[in-house]
Amino acid sequence: MEYRKLTPAGLLSLGTGAPEVAERAWRVRWDGVADAAGTVLGALPDVLEFHTSGSTGPSRCWRRTREDAWREAGMLAEFVRRDAPEAVVSFAPPVHVYGALATLLLPARLGVPVWYRPGYIGGLPETGVRRAVVVATPWIFSLLLRHMDWVRSLEHVTVLYSSAMLPSDAAVFLREAGPGRAAVVELLGSTETGGVAVRRWSEGEPPAWTLFPDVEFAGDTGSGGDAAGTAVPLLIRSPRLAHLPGEPAPREWATGDLVEPVDARTFRLLGRTGRLVKINGQRINLDEAEHTLRARLDCADLALVPVNDPMIGEHVDLYLVPRPEARPAGADLAAVRAVLGARPRKTHVVPALSRSAMGKLQHLTTSHSPTGIPT
């Protein structure tokens, strides 16, 4: 793959959503830039605009200042600096707030070159360095597992990840990379909040989440040790909260996550409130269930969608995308039941699922022409 050479100022002047930035491969050298802060703040507009994916409602425009973005990129740099990275290889589109921070600004904060590519096909870039940060999208671990020669050519790889729940391939990747050769740094956040919490792991079970340095618990979550062991919605305060056009930034924000506080700064993430359902008395994390089912079902894609059921209240529908070479068919219901503890209310076989560049399910419409298979 050919990476177009761009200057730091030239890259930033194009804008985060420009096709030349988001849809084409490029590389930029930040090593040797004497005044990275001046270059960034001089090239970016006063206010940056990002749009929600539309996965939980209509897409909306959220604004944040360039100074807040630069400050947050500095925190990301501190999270990975212990690994002494010499380059960034990014797959996260800058059109999203995570991509803008990690693809455009993190390399500037670290003072290292960056290679960006928008696609999955093709080899990884020859960076000429020994230690790198890979800015990830949900499918990055399967790509890295296909290119373990590239991974093993490096002394250390840090995977910076901010998206849906980690796929099972993450643990496989860490095991294949070998002890001390790789780490995953996970970020929890959203378009509305920016980064909220972080955790780092390289083996065993992932640890609890720790709030960003400038973020604190609010409301019931903020009761610290008193709330330990209790499942509560995550409510936070942050000076970097985005705002809608014409409105002030909110003072605090309910993230939509359900957490179990450990102490005044850390928590265990139980799941998205809209992605937790109780079927026949059993609470199920649909993100976890989807990852498990992808490993068990022979399909191109799938999604579990919460629905109301007149008999038991909460239930789920399964949307299944067959592989092109396979005959349209229903799911392996025994495998599904083993994961959910019950059959889905209905299985829909569809030609495709609409997802954002970060892998979020955007919407389900009649244009999918689903075939309903009662289960």
Side-chain angles (χ1 to χ4, degrees), residues 75-76 78-79 195-198 210-216 237 239-240 265:
M75 286 183 271
L76 301 189
E78 292 308 309
F79 297 152
V196 169
V198 62
T210 300
L211 294 173
F212 270 48
D214 61 349
V215 175
E216 61 183 25
R237 295 191 187 96
R240 293 177 285 103
R265 298 290 300 169

Side-chain angles (χ1 to χ4, degrees), residues 124 134 140-148 150-151 159 173:
L124 298 177
V134 174
I140 194 63
F141 295 101
S142 61
L143 178 66
L144 291 174
L145 285 168
R146 291 185 183 184
H147 295 279
M148 287 306 295
W150 183 87
V151 173
V159 179
F173 163 72

